[in-house]
Amino acid sequence: MCLKLILLCGRAEGLLVLEFATFISKFPQPLNNLSLFPYYGNYVKLAGLGYRILSENGVVQRKNVAFVGSGPMPLTSIVMATHHMKSTHFDNFDIDEAAIDVARQIVASDGEFEKRMKFVMGDIMEVREKVGEYDCIFLADLVGMSK
């Protein structure tokens, strides 16, 4: 029962994010409107916490970072890249092609920022050999719950 509820809530949150991401992707500068997302403040706090944990544990030279389960609005990657890891390259993985397409649209609105953000459609388990290339790998909260 608990697992079913977690999956149901995760699906609902995923739909909320997709709807909002699709909405702001229509703006001329979608990156300037991310703070309109109802949970934006939570992402800012969590990204700050994640960055602090990495720093406190000696992960200081972060050139390449992977984010697995980035979704249509990769807020964690965006917040990390704009506030904490200003020269880091991010590879954002997701198994949902529609999510990847919307995320690309959002990031494409800033040419310089876009150079640091790559979006990969596929299952991270199918590219395990690439995992060693990253200084750090972040997992979205519900990654792997359906398997």
Side-chain angles (χ1 to χ4, degrees):
M1 173 76 164
C2 187
L3 178 59
K4 287 182 182 179
L5 185 57
I6 289 169
L7 292 173
L8 178 63
C9 289
R11 177 79 178 128
E13 186 174 335
L15 291 171
L16 169 72
V17 172
L18 177 60
E19 185 68 26
F20 186 84
T22 302
F23 171 70
I24 68 160
S25 72
K26 309 280 189 257
F27 288 35
Q29 295 295 319
L31 290 170
N32 295 341
N33 295 286
L34 294 174
S35 63
L36 298 174
F37 185 63
Y39 303 129
Y40 180 77
N42 294 350
Y43 281 87
V44 171
K45 289 176 189 173
L46 287 171
L49 176 63
Y51 179 75
R52 190 173 80 238
I53 290 169
L54 289 174
S55 297
E56 289 172 357
N57 288 283
V59 184
V60 291
Q61 296 296 327
R62 297 163 293 265
K63 293 181 180 170
N64 294 303
V65 169
F67 192 94
V68 180
S70 59
M73 190 169 57
L75 276 176
T76 302
S77 293
I78 291 170
V79 171
M80 284 288 203
T82 56
H83 297 291
H84 304 291
M85 301 175 178
K86 296 182 179 184
S87 62
T88 302
H89 175 85
F90 288 79
D91 284 354
N92 297 279
F93 291 86
D94 205 286
I95 59 172
D96 183 342
E97 188 172 6
I100 290 290
D101 290 343
V102 175
R104 280 187 182 127
Q105 276 184 279
I106 291 170
V107 172
S109 67
D110 182 324
E112 285 303 309
F113 191 67
E114 182 182 27
K115 292 176 186 174
R116 296 177 42 220
M117 290 282 176
K118 179 180 173 187
F119 294 93
V120 181
M121 203 285 291
D123 189 330
I124 190 70
M125 296 306 291
E126 294 174 8
V127 291
R128 282 185 254 183
E129 66 280 353
K130 281 194 63 123
V131 171
E133 298 175 13
Y134 299 104
D135 301 310
C136 178
I137 300 171
F138 291 96
L139 300 176
D141 55 356
L142 296 175
V143 166
M145 290 295 292
S146 62
K147 292 187 178 187

